Structure formats: C-alpha cells, structure tokens
Amino acid sequence: QVQLVESGGGLVQPGGSLTLSCAASRSIFSINAMGWYRRAPGKQRELVADLTSDSSTNYADSVKGRFTISRDNTKNTLYLQMNSLRPEDTAVYYCHAIDYVAAHRYDYWGQGTQVTVSS
C-alpha cells in the first residue's frame, strides 16, 4: 500500500510556472512507475508524464518541452515542473503509482490538485 498526496497547485497566469509535488507514504525506490495525469473540465483523464524505475520518461505531446517529471527517492516524492503554462493546461492533476507485488499489479492515485491558468 502507498498513499499519495499532491500539493503545489494553484492559480497562475499564462506563461507562468508551477511545480507540483506528490509525497508518498513509503519508499518509492522500488515502485515500478510513477506519473502525472490530468482531467480538464468536460474531458477525459489523460496522461501528462510518467517516469519508470529505470528513469525512462514519457510525455504527452502537448507538454513536451514545457513540463519535466522527476523523482527524489530520498524524499519519497515525485515532481512535475510546469513552465510556459497555457490556459489549456487548466485541470485537476493527479499523481499515480504502479507497483507490482507477487506479480499482481496495484494502481494508486492521489486526491488531485487543481491547476488554473488564467489572466
């Protein structure tokens, strides 16, 4: 089991920056993959970025070059640095983790943090 708690959301002007954090309740060193998803009003949840245990990253086309995902295993925390924010980045952002125990996959989600990009 792992609990995930996001923080860092808020209101920012277009072109601004925010850094989201996702604190895990236990060590994330062995977690297979962690990532960020978002759900905008009236839209389906979509993958923003993910990061595997071997440090491979994957980004949605819409955020490539603007967002950076990283993790600090010493702090059990996942980050999402968001630069050059656009109004279309407005959404609730969720932290996600995938863990395998005895060949069973477990998915964990945070409660979400609101990001609003508006002037």
Side-chain angles (χ1 to χ4, degrees):
Q1 284 272 356
V2 59
Q3 283 75 48
L4 305 172
V5 179
E6 302 98 334
S7 62
L11 174 64
V12 62
Q13 292 187 342
S17 298
L18 280 176
T19 300
L20 304 183
S21 300
C22 171
S25 59
R26 65 166 177 84
S27 172
I28 64 172
F29 180 78
S30 62
I31 292 180
N32 295 85
M34 297 186 73
W36 292 93
Y37 285 74
R38 67 186 181 187
R39 177 174 285 161
K43 295 187 178 181
Q44 292 188 335
R45 184 174 61 195
E46 64 173 353
L47 173 69
V48 176
D50 60 21
L51 174 62
T52 62
S53 56
D54 64 357
S55 300
S56 297
T57 58
N58 178 47
Y59 293 92
D61 288 342
S62 60
V63 307
K64 283 181 181 176
R66 300 189 297 122
F67 291 10
T68 302
I69 189 171
S70 62
R71 61 196 282 174
D72 185 337
N73 290 339
T74 66
K75 296 182 178 180
N76 299 329
T77 301
L78 179 75
Y79 301 99
L80 184 68
Q81 174 66 45
M82 304 186 293
N83 298 326
S84 301
L85 283 161
R86 306 167 180 169
E88 53 264 38
D89 294 318
T90 295
V92 178
Y93 284 71
Y94 298 91
C95 181
H96 174 246
I98 300 172
D99 201 12
Y100 286 90
V101 178
H104 292 283
R105 169 174 166 156
Y106 295 88
D107 287 74
Y108 300 96
W109 294 92
Q111 81 289 350
T113 186
Q114 176 71 47
V115 172
T116 302
V117 184
S118 175
S119 55

